[in-house]
Structures are given as C-alpha cells and as structure tokens.
Amino acid sequence: MDEAMADTSAFNVRLQEEGYWVFANGLGQATTATVVDGQGREPVLTDGPYLESKEHIGGFWIIEAPDLDVALKLAAEGSRACRGKVEVRAFAGA
C-alpha cells in the first residue's frame, strides 16, 4: 500500500507538471457513507454506500485531456500507479 501511495503521488505530480491536473482526492471508507433520498416529502437517510459491491471507489481524478486517447493513456498510467481499476468518463455535455 505504501508503494501504491508513493506511485500515485508521483503520478499526481506528473499530471500537474504536464497540465492535465484539475483535481484529485481520495474518499473515505464506503462504510462511512450516508445515502440521502430527498425525492419525497421528507428526506430519507440510510447508512452505507448507495450500491452494495465487492469493490468501492477509493478516490478519483478530474483531468483535462485533449481527447479520449490521451485520457485512456493517462487512466492506464493511473491504474498502474494506484494498483486498481480506473473508470474513464466524460462530464455530461463535454
């Protein structure tokens, strides 16, 4: 885990130096999540993650890439650094 954190930190520095960095951060444990459903008259709050899963999102990067090919290349490098899978998704309307 220490190596993954060090490699991820180095990857973050490289993203910043190369101008791709917008924002990144880790997330707290999924067990600390609270789901809020405000669709009814009163909001309903429930403990735990929104989706039950074997895997949880540990953190995220928001990058500005010129095209999908660059985004996918950076995702592969980020995946290698953090030793986990990385999902690539554009902002809606982008």
Side-chain angles (χ1 to χ4, degrees):
M1 185 63 144
D2 289 340
E3 287 180 12
M5 296 298 285
D7 290 348
T8 300
S9 181
F11 177 69
N12 289 342
V13 168
R14 199 180 119 236
L15 287 175
Q16 293 170 7
E17 290 173 349
E18 294 179 7
Y20 298 116
W21 175 275
V22 175
F23 181 79
N25 210 336
L27 297 172
Q29 295 290 322
T31 56
T32 67
T34 301
V35 177
V36 180
D37 184 351
Q39 299 176 77
R41 175 170 275 160
E42 295 293 325
V44 176
L45 309 177
T46 54
D47 292 336
Y50 178 69
L51 297 174
E52 296 294 331
S53 171
K54 295 186 302 182
E55 300 176 309
H56 297 282
I57 297 172
F60 60 93
W61 285 282
I62 298 174
I63 64 166
E64 187 171 346
D67 56 47
L68 181 59
D69 290 336
V70 171
L72 294 174
K73 177 181 173 291
L74 292 170
E77 294 171 15
S79 173
R80 190 174 310 111
C82 72
R83 290 150 177 83
K85 295 178 182 175
V86 172
E87 178 181 329
V88 175
R89 195 186 302 189
F91 282 107

